[in-house]
Amino acid sequence: MTTTPLRTERSRPRTASVVTDLPFKPQLAKAVFRDVTSLHVSRSAAWAAASVTRTVLTEIIEGARSAAAEEVRKRLVPRDLVSAIDRNIEVEVGSAWYLHSPTFHGLMGEMRNADGALVSLRERRGARTPSGVAGAHRFEAGVRSLLRSRGVRAVPAMVRDLDGIASVFLTALARDAAKVVREGGVKRFGTVSLVVPGEPAPAPLLKDPLLALSTRRGDARTVAGDDVLAAVAMQLFGDLRQRAITEAAEMTRNASAN
């Protein structure tokens, strides 16, 4: 008489634990890429894009939380977002959202055309709403999850602004990553250097290790993880850029290992 071996319950893939660490899921990142490019998006590219978006939004939320703490408040309001951006230029991302949100209307200043006539907000936004603005609602669950993980709450208007900034930033990141694939590498980097009188100037850009991303190798029809990292080098600068790249690279390594 033969015995049937007992079936052992299959454990869930270890990647599940990695996914729960990301408020913005790789599937959402792929959906944003599909909005702006017909190129195939690799798994590592989706992980990297989701990780970078988390890093940027975390930095913004931390800045806003510090501003709220100064007023002894536990709930974030839109003026905390403005304070966070004013205090840290590195988090001034998602500029297309600033023309859309009432939070920033009074901060954008006047714009006039060649005849000196005042240009309205409607004209400045353009005839078509950017896809990042139109798809901002998709980021609400991730933003709320990130807020909870940081131990803070936010009023609905603040959540809306964080949704919009995340969506516009990731949309721009996807466009630049696709551009890296089409052009075969990075043609430009966003860099800001502060020079203090009497002190040595910072190292020339040519010594920047990020320029290692300037030459691309790989499938010309697929956005890879390195293409997203190259796009980060174009979109961000300073310590935030380096942290975003480091965390994204680690995230993709963990996802691949699991």
Side-chain angles (χ1 to χ4, degrees):
M1 179 177 177
T2 60
T3 59
T4 304
L6 294 176
R7 290 185 179 181
T8 58
E9 183 179 356
R10 292 185 178 180
S11 60
R12 297 179 63 184
R14 291 181 61 191
T15 49
S17 61
V18 180
V19 173
T20 58
D21 293 336
L22 281 175
F24 308 108
K25 304 306 180 188
Q27 295 89 336
L28 175 57
K30 281 195 173 186
V32 173
F33 272 88
R34 285 196 295 269
D35 290 341
V36 300
T37 181
S38 59
L39 294 171
H40 175 70
V41 180
S42 70
R43 184 169 176 265
S44 63
W47 281 95
S51 174
V52 170
T53 306
R54 175 189 61 181
T55 301
V56 170
L57 265 289
T58 298
E59 188 75 5
I60 293 173
I61 290 171
E62 286 301 309
R65 183 167 70 169
S66 296
E70 292 176 2
E71 299 181 12
V72 198
R73 283 186 291 102
K74 295 183 178 180
R75 180 170 292 187
L76 306 184
V77 298
R79 68 173 178 270
D80 298 326
L81 174 59
V82 175
S83 294
I85 294 173
D86 283 345
R87 297 176 184 183
N88 184 0
I89 192 174
E90 292 180 11
V91 301
E92 191 173 338
V93 298
S95 57
W97 178 255
Y98 302 157
L99 288 174
H100 177 82
S101 168
T103 300
F104 299 94
H105 285 181
L107 304 175
M108 299 300 293
E110 293 183 350
M111 180 181 292
R112 298 182 180 274
N113 60 23
D115 299 324
L118 190 65
V119 178
S120 68
L121 278 173
R122 183 181 295 274
E123 293 174 310
R124 290 166 67 179
R125 291 174 186 168
R128 180 178 178 272
T129 302
S131 59
V133 171
H137 63 280
R138 297 179 293 183
F139 288 76
E140 182 175 351
V143 164
R144 291 190 181 278
S145 174
L146 188 55
L147 287 167
R148 286 193 299 270
S149 73
R150 310 311 296 179
V152 294
R153 295 179 297 165
V155 300
M158 177 68 168
V159 174
R160 177 205 62 206
D161 281 333
L162 292 172
D163 294 348
I165 290 174
S167 181
V168 168
F169 169 74
L170 184 51
T171 299
L173 190 70
R175 287 197 182 105
D176 277 349
K179 185 176 182 180
V180 170
V181 176
R182 291 194 303 269
E183 296 184 353
V186 179
K187 305 304 179 186
R188 61 181 174 86
F189 285 84
T191 301
V192 173
S193 298
L194 300 179
V195 179
V196 178
E199 294 188 5
L205 180 61
L206 290 177
K207 295 182 180 179
D208 191 334
L210 290 173
L211 287 182
L213 299 171
S214 61
T215 302
R216 182 182 188 275
R217 298 179 179 85
D219 184 358
R221 295 172 295 178
T222 301
V223 180
D226 284 346
D227 300 321
V228 173
L229 300 185
V232 173
M234 298 161 66
Q235 287 286 327
L236 303 175
F237 64 91
D239 292 339
L240 180 59
R241 176 171 71 177
Q242 188 58 57
R243 187 162 62 255
I245 289 175
T246 300
E247 291 180 1
E250 182 179 0
M251 176 63 67
T252 53
R253 281 196 301 270
N254 290 340
S256 299
N258 292 334

